[in-house]
Each structure stands twice: as structure tokens, then as C-alpha cells.
Amino acid sequence: MDIKELYRIYEQHPCITTDSRNCPEGSIFLALKGETFNGNKFALQALEKGCAYAIVDEDIDNLKCRTESVEFATAQQAATANSQPSTLNSQLIKVDDCLQTFKDLAREHRRRFNIPVIGITGTNGKTTTKELIKAVLSEKYNVLATEGNFNNDVGVPKTLFRLSKEHEIAIIEMGASHPGDIKTLAETAEPTCGLITNVGRAHLQGFGSFEGVIKTKGELYDYLRTRDDGHIFLNADNDHLCDLLQDDDPLWVTPYSTNPELQYQCISGEVIRTNGASPFLQFRWRKPLMDLEAEGASTKWHKVQTRLVGDYNVYNLLAAIAVGINFGVDRKQICHALENYVPTNNRSQLVETAHNRLIVDAYNANPSSMAAALDNFNLIEAGRKMVILGDMRELGEASLEEHQGIVGQLGRMRLDQVWLVGNEFAKAGSSYRHFADVDDVKKALETERPEGFTILIKGSNSTRLYQLPELL
């Protein structure tokens, strides 16, 4: 079936579900497949529950027939919808590949909206940057943004299908673990502008090398070069990102930086360091000086007290500022949005318990984000300091070296206690206390909970260290 014809069916039934447990009346069920599930096996069940159509990519003859009572019920549903009573075959739509159809149909839906679409990728900080940009743009616009981390080849189409006529700007987060992933997602979402937060040594098992990471993230720039209006927001302090640009590049570039030497060309910012014990990032920013010469020195810098922990977040904040300025958000509105943004989902969160002060960054971890978190923790003033670190996953052959590097960094810090969790840290070898998994840590906390510490908790999401704050 032609994708435009299929989209006409979607317009009559504008709700797609991929979960047979959630089948709104008159919706379309799309049978996705994974390593442990096959949606085709539930297509008939979805029709029985009220779906108007089911899109499958396996032979219809292989699907079990329904009972007569069920066929009658769906015929009645079709009649109620002012259409001809449908048969089994007319309700089942066979395609070559359901996932590809899902992406193609989502792209067709996205093309119905002539609005700016911002694509965001990068090794670290994608979700935080996306949320900060959403906060800034929401001061002026009705914004659609990726929810949570729905940033893969299923999550991006689901986000695009949420687009409605009320939205004025969309922010689409794009994740990758293999070469070609960003190319595919960009061709689905068709962003008009884009932002790569940074590149680091993550998912090396899938990318094969750090160079593979850089090339894959750069696929966002490659897509934007195919557009007449391609626009990127560039972290001008990141040499790898700058190297992705070409001498004759057609891209329109808005740079941001913390380098004072670039203040005339970039939106610039700098961390404000205080002698207080607050771990929250405070910084100031300004537009390129050439744009502000007529405004007077007193109005050039804008000071912001954030609720984010970690100096490394300054680049995420500057990215949001760059996007906001480009789309005409007032500077006071930008500052208001950044000051009132409170992180969630175990990202750069400060949690005060009855016993300890916790810095929870347990959503994910890779060598660059782990090193940055430890560097920042080293700067925080606290009486007693402790770290609980979980394995960094998907590093392939580089895993041992990278975990040994983190152990070495710990050895250069002044820490009262270090707890390491997981097999990869065990292989790295150290005199620090080691736990096989989070369950072992939880058992230890039953009898020896730390008291009066400032504790950094960080590890890959699969180590489940996010379960610890309630016990500390």
C-alpha cells in the first residue's frame, strides 16, 4: 500500500498503538517486532479489542482466524463508523516491514506541519539539553518535545505522531548506538535545525571506535546540509564538532562557547565560582559583543542561578540560550526559564535526605560523563564525601581500560568512602570496596547506612543505582 494511501487511513483513524494491551476504539494497531516479542501474533487480538485496522508484516494466512462472534462484533463497529462492514482481510494491512512503515508514516505526518523542528543528539546531555530548550522556548511558543528518552527508531515516530496544529516548534531527541542510526532518525523527523551536544566514548561496542561515534553523530549535520535552510547550534569549544564542519559548508551556524577569546563571535558564558557549599551551578551569559555595544556595559551580562548540579551543564544551558535567542525569546524570559528548571529522572539532581546529601546522576554513564561528574564532585565543598559508582556498559574491548581510568581518577581525589558496583569495576582491580550488583549494596545499607555524607551516585541505567536514594 502506498504510504500516502495509508496516511489517508490514518487521518480517518488518527491513533496508532503498538501495544495490544492498549487498543483505543477505532485506532490502528501496528505490529512491531523485537528480540523477545512479535506484534504480528497479537494483531487479531487488537482487532477484537476495537482497533479498526492492524498493520502486519507477516503472511495473513499464518494468523489464526477469529470466531464468528468476533467477526460480527467488528462488523458492527465498522457499521457504527459509517463505513461498510469489514472483513478480516480488509482490516489487516500487509506491509513489507512494520517498523519502516511506522517511520515512513510518521514522516508523512510530520510533513503536514510547516514549523521549525530541532533535532538533538550527542553522547552526553541530550535529554537535559532538550528539556532546557523546551523550557526556554515554552516562554513564547507551544512546544512539542520528546518525552523521557523516546529517542530511538520507535520513540521518534511516536513523538512525531503527537504533532498537532497547536504546536509551533518541535524538539526531537535522537539517540544512537550504531552507525547510521542518526541518519535514519534525521530522515524520519526531517529537522530544520540541529544540535550535537558533544561526542564521547560511549556505545563503543556498537560503533566500533570513537571515530565511529563522531561520524554517526555527524550524520545530523549531513542531513541538514541537504536542506536549503539547514541551521546548526555549535559548541564552538568542542574540536570534534568543529572538525565536522567543512570550509564551504552551506550550514547556517550559531556558535556558543565559554572561551573568552570567542566572545565577539559567540554566545558566551562562564561559570561563577563561589565559596559557598551550594553544589548548584551559577553562571552568566551574553550575546556576541558586536550585538550589544549600543546597550551599555551594565546590560551585557545575564546572571543565572540554576538548580542543576555540575559545571559541565554550562554547555547544555548555553545551547538552550542559543536556540532561544535564535527564535526570538526575550533575555529575561530565557533567564526565568533556566532559573526555574528543576531536573528530574536521576539527572544532575540534588536530593536531601534525613541522613545525607545526594547528587544523583544515575540515569546513564560513559567515560566522559563519569569523568566530568567526578571532576565536578571534587570541586564541591563538603565535610565527608563518598561516591557510589556503577559499571559503564557497552564499551566493548575498551571497557577494562576505561574502568581502570576511572579508578585512577578516584585515586587522585579526596574521598572518605568509595563503593564500586558491577563486574566491569571488579575486573579493573582496586582496593576500594566492591559490590556485585545493586542488590548487594542494598543489603549492606540495611546494617551500615552512611550518615552525614555528601554522596555522588552515578552508573549506567542498567546497574539500577537509581534504587539507592530512598535507602540513603
Side-chain angles (χ1 to χ4, degrees):
M1 182 179 289
D2 177 80
I3 198 67
K4 294 188 181 298
E5 183 181 355
L6 188 57
Y7 188 77
R8 285 194 288 272
I9 294 175
Y10 168 76
E11 288 181 305
Q12 297 171 6
H13 304 275
C15 176
I16 292 182
T17 178
T18 60
D19 187 347
S20 62
R21 297 167 297 183
N22 177 26
C23 296
E25 189 75 21
S27 62
I28 299 173
F29 175 75
L30 191 135
L32 295 179
K33 289 185 287 190
E35 293 182 2
T36 59
F37 66 92
N38 183 349
N40 289 279
K41 295 181 179 179
F42 302 95
L44 300 182
Q45 181 181 340
L47 293 176
E48 291 169 8
K49 290 184 175 181
C51 287
Y53 293 92
I55 301 174
V56 299
D57 56 12
E58 292 185 359
D59 290 339
I60 293 174
D61 293 339
N62 293 335
L63 299 174
K64 293 181 179 180
C65 293
R66 296 173 294 169
T67 64
E68 289 184 2
S69 61
V70 171
E71 291 196 46
F72 176 80
T74 53
Q76 290 295 322
Q77 292 160 8
T80 302
N82 296 319
S83 61
Q84 292 298 317
S86 59
T87 64
L88 172 61
N89 285 352
S90 67
Q91 285 183 274
L92 287 168
I93 301 172
K94 175 76 181 305
V95 298
D96 292 332
D97 185 313
C98 278
L99 178 57
Q100 187 59 52
T101 297
F102 194 33
K103 291 185 282 191
D104 292 345
L105 198 58
R107 180 175 59 238
E108 192 68 24
H109 182 67
R110 178 261 179 273
R111 289 177 176 174
R112 297 301 194 271
F113 303 91
N114 185 25
I115 62 173
V117 175
I118 305 165
I120 299 178
T121 189
T123 302
N124 304 316
K126 291 185 296 296
T127 301
T128 299
T129 301
K130 176 254 302 182
E131 292 295 326
L132 288 168
I133 292 174
K134 177 185 176 183
V136 168
L137 292 180
S138 293
E139 295 279 329
K140 184 175 181 179
Y141 301 98
N142 189 320
V143 181
L144 171 76
T146 300
E147 292 182 342
N149 67 325
F150 280 21
N151 59 15
N152 60 12
D153 53 3
V154 175
V156 168
K158 285 185 176 181
T159 301
L160 293 174
F161 278 119
R162 291 172 45 223
L163 271 172
S164 68
K165 61 182 181 180
E166 287 78 21
H167 293 121
E168 298 170 290
I169 293 180
I171 310 168
I172 308 297
E173 182 180 332
M174 303 177 185
S177 54
H178 299 88
D181 284 352
I182 298 302
K183 178 179 185 294
T184 299
L185 296 177
E187 290 174 349
T188 300
E190 296 187 340
T192 59
C193 50
L195 188 153
I196 304 175
T197 57
N198 49 54
V199 287
R201 296 172 65 82
H203 300 294
L204 297 182
Q205 191 169 358
F207 290 118
S209 66
F210 180 48
E211 290 69 26
V213 176
I214 297 171
K215 182 178 180 181
T216 301
K217 301 301 183 183
E219 290 168 359
L220 179 57
Y221 289 0
D222 293 338
Y223 170 78
L224 290 169
R225 289 187 181 99
T226 68
R227 302 184 60 94
D228 294 335
D229 57 349
H231 182 186
I232 66 170
F233 301 93
L234 175 70
N235 179 349
D237 294 351
N238 190 301
D239 292 338
H240 298 300
L241 298 182
C242 293
D243 288 345
L244 288 172
L245 299 181
Q246 303 166 3
D247 291 339
D248 58 346
D249 218 313
L251 291 170
W252 177 21
V253 179
T254 298
Y256 54 93
S257 169
T258 62
N259 185 346
E261 296 181 3
L262 298 179
Q263 60 186 346
Y264 286 92
Q265 296 84 34
C266 297
I267 294 167
S268 58
E270 60 185 29
V271 175
I272 300 174
R273 303 200 184 279
T274 64
N275 294 324
S278 173
F280 290 131
L281 170 62
Q282 185 179 91
F283 80 111
R284 61 179 189 169
W285 66 274
R286 62 182 171 188
K287 291 178 64 178
L289 293 183
M290 63 183 70
D291 295 339
L292 294 171
E293 289 173 349
E295 298 186 16
S298 63
T299 62
K300 290 180 180 178
W301 284 105
H302 305 276
K303 184 177 177 181
V304 178
Q305 174 65 62
T306 78
R307 300 283 292 177
L308 286 163
V309 177
D311 290 357
Y312 48 85
N313 277 300
V314 69
Y315 288 108
N316 303 331
L317 292 155
L318 287 174
I321 292 167
V323 173
I325 288 175
N326 178 76
F327 287 103
V329 182
D330 179 82
R331 287 168 225 163
K332 290 184 179 179
Q333 292 176 311
I334 291 174
C335 292
H336 175 267
L338 300 181
E339 288 177 343
N340 286 277
Y341 171 74
V342 179
T344 57
N345 299 326
N346 301 301
R347 292 178 171 92
S348 301
Q349 286 180 268
L350 178 69
V351 178
E352 299 274 2
T353 73
H355 311 281
N356 301 286
R357 182 171 66 165
L358 313 178
I359 296 173
V360 185
D361 197 2
Y363 181 79
N364 216 339
N366 55 60
S368 53
S369 68
M370 185 75 84
L374 289 174
D375 283 341
N376 184 78
F377 192 61
N378 205 34
L379 296 173
I380 293 175
E381 296 182 16
R384 305 172 72 194
K385 299 172 85 170
M386 175 181 181
V387 298
I388 304 176
L389 305 183
D391 280 350
M392 302 175 290
R393 300 286 171 81
E394 299 182 43
L395 295 179
E397 295 180 356
S399 184
L400 178 59
E401 178 185 355
E402 297 295 350
H403 283 84
Q404 287 175 333
I406 295 301
V407 169
Q409 184 175 357
L410 290 169
R412 297 186 293 272
M413 298 173 62
R414 296 182 61 182
L415 299 167
D416 296 281
Q417 289 196 42
V418 175
W419 289 9
L420 303 179
V421 185
N423 293 331
E424 299 304 311
F425 270 122
K427 295 174 186 176
S430 73
S431 59
Y432 298 122
R433 189 167 179 184
H434 179 264
F435 299 83
D437 53 34
V438 71
D439 292 327
D440 274 1
V441 179
K442 291 159 75 172
K443 289 178 183 177
L445 291 176
E446 291 176 1
T447 57
E448 49 181 310
R449 180 176 56 204
E451 297 276 353
F453 281 84
T454 297
I455 306 173
L456 169 66
I457 304 173
K458 187 167 180 63
S460 287
N461 193 48
S462 57
T463 62
R464 298 181 291 132
L465 297 192
Y466 53 78
Q467 297 179 1
L468 299 180
E470 63 183 21
L471 304 176
L472 290 165

